Amino acid sequence: MTAEPAVKSPLPVDLHPERLPYHVAVIMDGNGRWAKQRGLPRVMGHRRGVDTLKQLLRRCSDWGIGALTAYAFSTENWGRPLEEVGFLMTLFERVLRQELTDMMAENVRIQFVGNLAGLPASLQTEIDRAVEQTRQNRGIRFTVATNYGGRQEILQACRAIATQVQAGVLQPEDIDENLFGRHLYTADLQDPDLLIRTSGEMRISNFLLWQLAYAEIYVTDTLWPDFDEGEFHRALQTYQGRDRRFGKVSS
Ligand code: IPE
Ligand code: IPE
Ligand code: MG
């Protein structure tokens, strides 16, 4: 166990605590480019990216954000070179094992979304262990999207609902947004308020297609390994300057 609790970083004074997003989602993009710029193999960018995520989780927790969801591996990322995919799977497994003690100390509740059955068995074991051990924690909810695809998530929900209709336990008219949402991987999680994407790409790449319906989108050119506390602060400042109308008119 960590003997001393880490020093908490206070919320910057220009941010309003009552107007923070409850749920922040991040598309952690640009690891490969970060490494390439330094003449390093792509995987070194992934390694640095883990440190960035750890710092962001801590910052979110310190600043009173309720939930953080990070896109770690998409269903499309299997199309990358075998070597890179293998490195990532091993990295996820090792990081999970190493970080469990700190997550317990910091009261983090970790969970995973995606087609977990398609992951290597040894990674599934680490995932199960981390989820089980942190289940009772009441601090920040940390969700990792691994082997995650938004379309695939929607399809599995459709199949589950169709099966219930076929069995006669559900009527087609019972299917509403609420019921549908409860069949998604994110069933007990509020929709993201803020989506951050690094590395300047203006797309959502199959991430949380249903849940992002009214998220505020923030894109920065900064590559993920360089996304530090100052960058996150700027993202929150921008968020707090937005007028979230949800289709209505400003009040
Ligand atoms: C994001 O960084 C990490 C994963 C998708 C796993 P990339 O690896 O996509 O980095 P770029 O976009 O090639 O720079
Ligand atoms: C999105 O990044 C997936 C993750 C960050 C895990 P990608 O690098 O895979 O997305 P594209 O290919 O640029 O759309
Ligand atoms: Mg990328």
Side-chain angles (χ1 to χ4, degrees), residues 29-31 33 42 80 197 199:
D29 199 15
N31 292 348
R33 278 163 282 175
R42 290 178 54 83
R80 295 188 177 204
R197 183 167 187 152
S199 89

Side-chain angles (χ1 to χ4, degrees), residues 166-214:
Q166 193 175 39
V169 293
L170 204 65
Q171 299 305 310
E173 52 274 22
D174 297 334
I175 305 168
D176 58 13
E177 289 184 15
N178 216 336
L179 181 129
F180 196 82
R182 277 190 274 117
H183 285 83
L184 296 173
Y185 299 133
T186 50
D188 54 350
L189 198 57
Q190 233 173 272
D191 288 345
D193 301 291
L194 170 63
L195 171 72
I196 297 171
R197 183 167 187 152
T198 54
S199 89
E201 308 294 356
M202 301 284 183
R203 53 178 175 263
I204 55 176
S205 303
N206 205 12
F207 190 41
L208 301 176
L209 296 181
W210 173 276
Q211 298 88 337
L212 289 173
Y214 267 104

Side-chain angles (χ1 to χ4, degrees), residues 2 4-10 55 58-59 62-63 106 229:
T2 338
E4 302 205 359
V7 182
K8 276 201 168 195
S9 143
Q55 294 304 321
R58 203 156 282 148
R59 226 35 84 220
D62 288 355
W63 290 357
E106 292 171 28
E229 178 173 327

